[in-house]
Amino acid sequence: MQLTGPWYMRLHWQVFIAMLLGIAAGLLGGEAIVPSVAWLGTLFVRLLKMVIVPLVAFSIISGVASVGAGASLGRLFGKTLGYYVLSSLLAIIVGLLLVNLIRPGDGANLVDAEAAVLPELETPGGPTDLLMRMVPVNVIDAAARPDMLAVIFFCILFGIAIASLPKDPRETMTNFFSAGFEAMMKLTSGVIRFAPIGVFGLITKVVGLTGFASFKALGLYMLTIAAGLSIHMFLTLPLLLVFLGRINPRVHFRNMIEPIALAFSTSSSGATLPVTLRTLEKEVGVSNRVTSFVIPMGATVNMDGTALYECAGVLFIAQVLGIDLTLAQQAIVVLTALLASIGAAAVPSAGLVIIFLVLDAVNLRGPEVEAIVGTMLAIDRPLDMFRTAVNVFSDSCGAAIIARSEGEEGVDIA
Ligand code: ASP
């Protein structure tokens, strides 16, 4: 990480100060201030979204083209999936234990709380549906939506095709895509310089628009989720870094502070993706070969914070309704929470909308359940910020661990 120059010139400090200023502006200005500053955040998120598709495409194609289709690609794929499942399951188990221990739903007073209207987000039907969505019938259309899983799938195949060309065209194509990737990284670095201004706009809007009545009613529930997410972020993932990657968690956390802060402010792993990719390569020192594989897919598929939330949220709703879920039902919740986190889009509130998938698996449905989810939505933003930060941090831990296991020594040097 760049540690030269006065502290206030460093981007993560500027982002941190912007957050504090945003909180102050939101508290003092309330709803009235929102229209005059919210556009700064919206503009910044648009800039981030602008770079996502080309950055991810160039990154994956150049990464996979240089790895080739052989055993090496299979090994990377295996390690990546293994890490995704392991880290998400650990997160879910923490959520399960905490909600069973604290039982925040037992005394929750949802009568005073305000419900909110659920946004329209696509919920996947199940594993086959997810598989179908991965294969685009029209790759330009997939990129235009953007449907990231489909884009990733096409780019991996295209990279493999390049790797299997004869020497001359292979080198031409590989050089073209790695040069394109460098150019996109430069562009991303330029966009990131506006992060403090964007973060100020985003945080002012959240704080200015949020009412506090619902927070009181669901206080214990929020604390339970926050405790679970903290355990995962500050205990479980650091342990994985130490034992699987021989990496100093403190150094890794410090290196990743910018993407974490951005995930927190935007509530979107997708919007944070360009910054995550760039930071892992430039600050943490992971090769493009590994980041291009672990990160774009991880942003859409590996969501530890969301997985924890799905499980904890469903158990909470059952507690509010006075229903005791059996051990077998809780096991179903664990598995469907994993699936739901894989299927959740990398955008704000996706985790809460997709909770219906898990609720359905244990027969929790009907107007009462919908009303409770609506109430949960009213207080979802801060939890979403926190779980998105966990989602992004977990992806970065996976990339660092896998890079180490592939023999990359320059990872997370202080
Ligand atoms: N907002 C989260 C993300 O983008 C998903 C969620 O709502 O849990 O990672």
Side-chain angles (χ1 to χ4, degrees):
M1 170 175 267
Q2 185 93 47
L3 285 178
T4 50
W7 66 272
Y8 54 82
M9 290 300 286
R10 286 178 224 146
L11 195 62
H12 61 274
W13 277 110
Q14 294 180 352
V15 169
F16 182 66
I17 292 168
M19 275 184 180
L20 295 182
L21 290 177
I23 294 174
L27 286 177
L28 295 175
E31 270 185 48
I33 198 176
V34 173
S36 46
V37 290
W39 65 274
L40 292 170
T42 312
L43 199 65
F44 179 61
V45 171
R46 286 183 75 100
L47 280 170
L48 285 171
K49 288 187 173 164
M50 174 184 84
V51 294
I52 292 174
V53 173
L55 176 69
V56 165
F58 277 115
S59 162
I60 297 182
I61 295 171
S62 66
V64 174
S66 64
V67 181
S72 165
L73 189 74
R75 196 182 58 231
L76 258 184
F77 194 65
K79 285 181 188 175
T80 306
L81 285 193
Y83 174 81
Y84 289 167
V85 172
L86 172 72
S87 63
S88 300
L89 275 181
L90 289 174
I92 294 174
I93 290 166
V94 169
L96 182 86
L97 291 178
L98 281 187
V99 179
N100 276 316
L101 275 175
I102 302 176
R103 302 197 63 86
D106 285 354
N109 170 16
L110 299 189
V111 185
D112 301 338
E114 229 176 274
V117 183
L118 289 169
E120 293 271 331
L121 284 176
E122 226 178 294
T123 36
T128 1
D129 203 41
L130 204 69
L131 214 66
M132 287 298 164
R133 268 179 41 205
M134 256 176 59
V135 185
V137 272
N138 176 345
V139 72
I140 307 287
D141 177 54
R145 285 169 187 268
D147 194 341
M148 286 318 286
L149 276 187
V151 172
I152 291 167
F153 181 74
F154 173 79
C155 291
I156 291 177
L157 292 189
F158 193 49
I160 293 176
I162 292 176
S164 45
L165 288 174
K167 185 166 176 287
D168 272 359
R170 187 183 68 232
E171 279 181 4
T172 312
M173 293 295 272
T174 313
N175 288 341
F176 170 75
F177 280 103
S178 40
F181 175 59
E182 287 304 320
M184 284 313 300
M185 289 287 264
K186 265 265 174 312
L187 209 162
T188 308
S189 304
V191 169
I192 294 171
R193 300 177 77 142
F194 295 100
I197 298 174
V199 164
F200 172 71
L202 290 164
I203 298 282
T204 307
K205 182 177 170 197
V206 173
V207 177
L209 288 185
T210 312
F212 285 94
S214 327
F215 283 73
K216 273 192 215 130
L218 288 166
L220 190 58
Y221 164 69
M222 291 181 77
L223 280 180
T224 312
I225 301 281
L229 292 173
S230 305
I231 291 174
H232 194 67
M233 184 135 167
F234 299 114
L235 191 71
T236 313
L237 290 175
L239 285 175
L240 290 183
L241 279 172
V242 171
F243 288 110
L244 299 181
R246 290 168 290 109
I247 289 167
N248 183 337
R250 238 185 258 168
V251 174
H252 184 72
F253 190 85
R254 208 181 60 203
N255 283 340
M256 286 304 296
I257 200 80
E258 276 159 27
I260 293 172
L262 267 190
F264 191 77
S265 328
T266 58
S267 283
S268 166
S269 318
T272 313
L273 180 57
V275 189
T276 319
L277 262 178
R278 184 193 153 276
T279 308
L280 275 163
E281 294 200 19
K282 301 285 183 217
E283 317 284 355
V284 179
V286 178
S287 68
N288 177 44
R289 178 175 165 270
V290 172
T291 47
S292 70
F293 217 86
V294 182
I295 297 304
M297 202 154 56
T300 356
V301 166
N302 180 44
M303 296 192 177
D304 294 6
T306 306
L308 185 152
Y309 184 81
E310 300 304 315
C311 174
V314 169
L315 297 188
F316 168 76
I317 292 173
Q319 285 172 2
V320 173
L321 294 171
I323 297 170
D324 260 328
L325 295 179
T326 61
L327 227 55
Q329 282 174 314
Q330 299 209 12
I332 294 178
V333 171
V334 168
L335 288 180
T336 38
L338 181 66
L339 276 181
S341 73
I342 292 173
V347 297
S349 286
L352 186 60
V353 174
I354 216 156
I355 208 168
F356 287 112
L357 197 90
V358 189
L359 287 165
D360 218 49
V362 282
N363 287 325
L364 289 174
R365 36 180 104 87
E368 251 185 324
V369 170
E370 275 168 32
I372 299 174
V373 176
T375 316
M376 285 157 76
L377 184 66
I379 50 117
D380 191 50
R381 187 65 188 207
L383 294 178
D384 193 7
M385 293 161 95
F386 204 169
R387 60 179 190 256
T388 309
V390 173
N391 291 346
V392 167
F393 186 58
S394 167
D395 293 340
S396 79
C397 293
I401 289 170
I402 292 169
R404 268 296 167 90
S405 76
E406 289 283 300
E408 290 181 21
E409 284 301 329
V411 178
D412 276 321
I413 303 297

